[in-house]
Amino acid sequence: MGQGGEPRRAQAYDGDLGAAVARAQEGDEAAFAVAYRLVQPGLLGYLRGLVGDDAEDVASDAWLEIARDLGRFKGDGAGFRGWSATIARHRALDHLRRQKVRPRPTALEQDVLDLPGPHSTHDQALESLSTERALELVRALPRDQAEAVLLRVVVGLDGPAAARVLGKRPGAVRTAAYRGLKRLARQLGTEGVTDEDPRTLGEST
């Protein structure tokens, strides 16, 4: 596997994760614990960006549902990360509704911006995304941008998988992630980001 423009960290474990999930589906509790350890850090970071300090509680609810429905899951390691993120998102939105905090509606243009390439300064800005300060900055983004950034960078999903979790078109999720990354990079003080023209970042389909 090349190092190319894959999201960091999570994908390195997808082979191990897929194998652990398959064993867990056959009733291997130790394998379920392995899957949990591989997925939980990214899931918790995603939930922190959505519900802040309540992330641990929401994650616990999500894992109860994941364990209950594990037999219905079909797919590989990357698929399991997307599936678990979808469940976690539903639990987070339920939690926000109970708190009477409505997700902000957003109107995204359906354009075809691509995420910056692997050597972009956006990546450097996001190396610090595991820090509490960066997660606070992510929470301050418009919700569509925050979720796109969290799913791409913290959970490690690719564009189509992130779009499936969010129920949006991939182009819309790429746009939201690009804008969120650009704003984050600016706030984190990364040089050389704000004067890029987004149209140069790939108009391919």
Side-chain angles (χ1 to χ4, degrees):
M1 293 283 175
Q3 294 163 306
E6 298 180 306
R8 290 154 298 294
R9 296 188 297 272
Q11 277 158 345
Y13 304 121
D14 275 350
D16 294 341
L17 178 57
V21 169
R23 291 199 310 277
Q25 287 181 308
E26 293 165 4
D28 184 335
E29 289 182 17
F32 186 82
V34 170
Y36 173 87
R37 281 198 303 274
L38 290 174
V39 171
Q40 171 70 349
L43 213 57
L44 203 52
Y46 175 47
L47 289 170
R48 259 195 209 109
L50 293 180
V51 299
D53 293 339
D54 295 329
E56 296 268 4
D57 291 342
V58 174
S60 295
D61 290 344
W63 279 105
L64 286 172
E65 187 171 337
I66 290 165
R68 188 193 71 207
D69 293 344
L70 187 63
R72 298 215 313 261
F73 170 73
K74 290 181 173 54
D76 57 8
F80 183 78
R81 276 192 290 114
W83 182 70
S84 57
T86 300
I87 289 174
R89 181 173 193 264
H90 289 156
R91 296 284 69 77
L93 294 179
D94 286 347
H95 177 82
L96 291 173
R97 273 192 289 271
R98 282 196 300 273
Q99 291 187 318
K100 302 289 188 288
V101 178
R102 299 275 171 203
R104 262 176 289 183
T106 54
L108 268 183
E109 299 85 358
Q110 301 293 325
D111 46 8
V112 291
L113 291 174
D114 275 319
L115 278 173
H119 305 302
S120 154
T121 47
H122 294 74
D123 268 6
Q124 295 156 23
L126 287 165
E127 288 307 316
S128 58
L129 246 189
S130 57
T131 68
E132 289 301 317
R133 174 171 176 258
L135 280 172
E136 283 304 308
L137 289 174
V138 171
R139 290 197 76 201
L141 293 173
R143 176 170 295 277
D144 63 299
Q145 294 178 16
E147 288 206 70
V149 169
L150 290 163
L151 287 170
R152 293 299 310 270
V153 179
V154 179
V155 182
L157 300 184
D158 64 17
R164 281 194 296 276
V165 171
L166 296 174
K168 296 182 186 243
R169 303 216 319 241
V173 174
R174 278 198 302 273
T175 300
Y178 169 78
R179 290 183 179 152
L181 292 174
K182 186 167 180 174
R183 187 182 300 197
L184 263 184
R186 202 180 301 133
Q187 289 175 310
L188 290 169
T190 305
E191 297 291 317
V193 173
T194 54
D195 48 11
E196 288 175 359
D197 181 345
R199 285 186 296 272
T200 66
L201 289 172
E203 295 187 344
S204 61
T205 56

